[in-house]
């Protein structure tokens, strides 16, 4: 068995879904379980509608839902052929429910994370149904599975964590038997708590669904089909002309994803590592391209750096307390506060009485600063970015830091971290400097590449 996940752009339209059907058909003999994202920008629009409803702007919210409806009806029905009438009934019933939900929220004028998840889940619920009908009309024996019966999560709505034991049991019980005789189609991103409340795994979470299902099935391979040729040496929207990385280790891919490579959700590789299942990144518009293979033992690489990752919208927090001079427990007090507000810290640097750290989730920034101010002075630097070199060879190669500093000679570096994992070297810089800094680093480290690993 294999798992094939198709992202938003890969299923954005009738034409895109038709391409996906061709790709899956070629793999039918490998008994694929297909995990799909919402079509195109559906999730963004649903969340925008939810926010409008929460602010009491009912008409704006309903207009956005109507856009989503039109897109799904138009593209969905064209794909379903003989099943069009049945699919039409499903889609209409679904939007009636969504309209009622939006109207209810607009009256109350309040949006809880739980309601956000209910609304956001509509994207994958609809796309998975439409794609099921599309596969059937393309001649494949296909069975739809509601992901909420499989992915069992805790109740941290909008950022739910899967309960792996329960989920793997559900995969065995529900997905495996269905996949014996049909192509299974299920939505990514969504799950449910043990008592059946709909949750989501966080933005970009369909990749994570695919790897959880792959691990639960003990699949041969997890394929992530997207809109680029694989993992590239840098984000193509930031640095054009990056090279395709043919193979990369789980640890390197995880680090790249964590430090901003959107091509993969950061949690994706964890279930794959646990069961040692290779993950492939492939392009649904160029299915013949070989993509990137993520495994525990990739081909040895002559280049020290495999890729450059970037994260924007970072806040640097500087914490200074002379009262803490020579006192122990300073760091503990600080991190307890971040822990209490469920805010993860990416980069840290310390001196005797000062600590600088970076966060990307500003939701609880105000209460965090207020708590910190009980024992320290706090200052913030907004609109910062992290640019990060990732590669297993960084730790064994002398001179990497020297080359990086030379490339960044006219960039004002706010913080430096040679990651504890020893496979990254990261810099916090102003967002304004990100593009030239990433380009300079790319030029320094990828002007010459090992053809065994890069294309
Ligand atoms: P999907 O909808 O298929 O999940 P995403 O938009 O989530 O696709 O991820 C694919 C995008 O990730 C690419 O279009 C690209 O802009 C971005 N990206 C960022 N960093 C990298 C990288 N190092 N290699 C490839 N793509 C990257
Ligand atoms: N549709 C969800 C999102 O846009 C999940 C995903 O595409 O991976 O975040
Ligand atoms: Mg994605």
């Amino acid at each position: 068995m294999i798992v094939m996940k198709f992202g938003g752009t890969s299923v954005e339209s009738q034409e895109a879904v038709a391409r996906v059907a061709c790709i899956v058909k070629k793999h039918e003999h490998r008994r694929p379980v297909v995990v799909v994202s919402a079509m195109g920008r559906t999730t963004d629009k649903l969340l925008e509608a939810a926010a409008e409803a929460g602010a009491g702007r009912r008409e704006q919210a309903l207009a956005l839902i109507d856009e989503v409806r039109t897109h799904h009806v138009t593209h969905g029905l064209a794909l379903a052929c003989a099943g069009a009438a049945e699919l039409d009934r499903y889609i209409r019933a679904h939007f009636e429910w969504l309209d009622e939900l939006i109207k209810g929220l607009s009256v109350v004028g309040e949006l809880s994370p739980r309601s956000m998840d209910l609304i956001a889940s509509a994207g994958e619920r609809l796309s998975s149904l439409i794609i099921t009908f599309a596969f059937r009309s393309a001649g494949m024996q296909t069975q739809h599975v509601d992901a909420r019966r499989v992915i069992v999560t805790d109740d941290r709505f909008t950022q739910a964590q899967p309960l792996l034991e329960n989920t793997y049991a559900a995969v065995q019980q529900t997905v495996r038997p269905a996949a014996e005789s049909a192509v299974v189609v299920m939505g990514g991103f969504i799950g449910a708590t043990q008592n059946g409340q709909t949750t989501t795994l966080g933005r970009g979470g369909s990749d994570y669904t695919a790897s959880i299902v792959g691990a639960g099935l003990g699949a041969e391979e997890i394929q992530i089909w997207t809109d680029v040729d694989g993992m590239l040496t840098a984000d193509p929207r930031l640095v054009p002309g990056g090279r395709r990385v043919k193979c990369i280790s789980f640890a390197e891919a995880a680090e790249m994803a964590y430090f901003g490579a959107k091509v993969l959700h950061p949690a994706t590789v964890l279930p794959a590592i646990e069961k040692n299942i290779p993950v492939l990144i492939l392009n649904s518009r160029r299915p013949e391209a070989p993509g990137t293979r993520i495994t525990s033992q990739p081909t040895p690489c002559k280049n020290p750096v495999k890729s450059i990752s970037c994260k924007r919208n970072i806040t640097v927090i500087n914490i200074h307390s002379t009262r803490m001079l020579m006192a122990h427990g300073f760091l503990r007090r600080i991190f307890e506060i971040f822990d209490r507000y469920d805010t993860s810290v990416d980069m840290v640097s310390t001196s005797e009485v000062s600590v600088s750290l970076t966060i990307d989730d500003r939701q609880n920034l105000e209460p965090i600063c207020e708590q910190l101010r009980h024992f320290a002075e706090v200052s913030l630097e907004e609109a910062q970015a992290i640019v990060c070199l990732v590669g297993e060879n960084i730790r064994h190669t002398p001179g990497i830091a020297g080359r990086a500093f030379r490339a960044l000679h006219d960039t004002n570096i706010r913080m430096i971290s040679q990651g504890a994992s020893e496979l990254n070297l990261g810099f916090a810089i102003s967002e304004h400097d990100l593009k030239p800094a990433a380009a300079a680093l790319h030029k320094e480290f990828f002007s010459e590449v090992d053809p065994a690993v890069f294309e």
Side-chain angles (χ1 to χ4, degrees), residues 5 7-9 225-228 230-232 234-237 256 261-263 307:
K5 177 260 170 177
T9 41
W225 291 83
T226 182
D227 61 351
V228 279
M231 293 193 115
L232 306 176
D235 181 345
R237 291 180 211 185
M256 277 177 71
K262 192 188 166 215
V263 64
S307 184

Side-chain angles (χ1 to χ4, degrees), residues 5 8 37-38 43 124 189 202-207:
K5 177 260 170 177
S37 287
T43 311
E124 271 71 7
F189 180 54
R203 295 305 306 270
S206 296
D207 300 335

Side-chain angles (χ1 to χ4, degrees), residues 155 324 400 438:
D155 61 358
M324 283 296 180
I400 302 294

Side-chain angles (χ1 to χ4, degrees), residues 43-357:
T43 311
D44 290 337
K45 285 200 180 155
L46 290 169
L47 288 172
E48 248 177 82
E52 292 288 2
R57 291 190 287 268
R58 177 187 139 123
E59 294 315 312
Q60 285 89 329
L62 289 174
L64 281 161
I65 297 292
D66 202 44
E67 267 180 48
V68 178
R69 178 192 348 253
T70 308
H71 186 82
H72 284 80
V73 170
T74 314
H75 292 265
L77 300 192
L79 285 159
C81 302
E86 193 186 345
L87 179 62
D88 190 38
R89 274 198 302 280
Y90 278 124
I91 298 181
R92 285 185 198 282
H94 202 85
F95 278 98
E96 271 168 34
W97 165 81
L98 206 48
D99 278 348
E100 288 310 311
L101 190 59
I102 289 283
K103 285 178 196 163
L105 288 174
S106 314
V107 172
V108 186
E110 201 178 87
L111 183 66
S112 65
R114 191 173 146 188
S115 322
M116 268 165 89
D117 273 356
L118 259 186
I119 295 177
S121 74
E124 271 71 7
R125 288 164 66 185
L126 285 161
S127 66
S128 58
L129 263 180
I130 289 174
I131 289 162
T132 300
F133 278 85
F135 283 7
R136 283 186 190 147
S137 61
M140 282 182 275
Q141 182 77 23
T142 311
Q143 178 156 350
H144 180 256
V145 169
D146 187 337
R148 295 171 301 166
R149 288 177 49 215
V150 178
I151 308 294
V152 187
T153 74
D154 64 13
D155 61 358
R156 291 177 52 193
F157 295 100
T158 75
Q159 285 293 334
Q161 290 296 321
L163 307 176
L164 288 179
E165 215 175 292
N166 307 44
T167 301
Y168 290 161
V171 168
Q172 284 296 338
Q173 212 181 347
T174 312
V175 182
R176 177 176 288 285
E180 297 290 352
S181 54
V183 174
V184 169
V185 177
M186 57 189 280
F189 180 54
I190 60 176
T193 61
Q194 276 168 303
N195 48 24
Q197 287 165 346
T198 300
T199 53
T200 68
L201 307 181
R203 295 305 306 270
S206 296
D207 300 335
Y208 193 21
T209 305
S211 73
I212 295 167
V213 171
L217 287 171
E220 289 159 50
E221 198 170 278
I222 298 163
Q223 303 179 346
I224 307 286
W225 291 83
T226 182
D227 61 351
V228 279
D229 275 355
M231 293 193 115
L232 306 176
T233 47
D235 181 345
R237 291 180 211 185
L238 198 66
V239 184
R243 310 290 193 105
R244 173 173 68 89
V245 186
K246 296 181 193 171
C247 50
I248 190 164
S249 72
F250 284 127
E252 288 169 326
E255 201 80 356
M256 277 177 71
Y258 185 73
F259 282 103
K262 192 188 166 215
V263 64
L264 207 61
H265 182 280
T268 311
V269 293
L270 296 176
I273 295 178
E274 199 186 309
K275 301 279 161 80
N276 198 16
I277 304 172
V279 178
L280 270 73
I281 312 288
L282 297 155
N283 188 344
S284 67
R285 289 169 203 218
R286 294 201 332 122
E288 67 289 354
T292 295
R293 197 175 172 80
I294 309 170
T295 60
S296 53
Q297 292 201 307
T299 313
C301 179
K302 295 205 178 75
N303 287 62
V305 178
K306 283 275 182 68
S307 184
I308 297 172
S309 277
C310 302
K311 225 173 174 174
R312 294 164 197 267
N313 237 329
I314 295 293
T315 303
V316 174
I317 307 178
N318 301 304
I319 304 155
H320 179 80
S321 174
T322 40
R323 267 197 284 153
M324 283 296 180
L325 185 65
M326 311 295 278
H328 62 84
F330 186 31
L331 288 176
R332 180 181 49 75
R333 284 183 78 174
I334 292 174
F335 284 108
E336 266 172 6
I337 295 173
F338 285 90
D339 190 41
R340 207 175 306 146
Y341 289 98
D342 269 345
T343 301
S344 58
V345 169
D346 289 330
M347 219 186 239
V348 190
S349 81
T350 64
S351 74
E352 181 64 40
V353 291
S354 299
V355 176
S356 294
L357 44 80

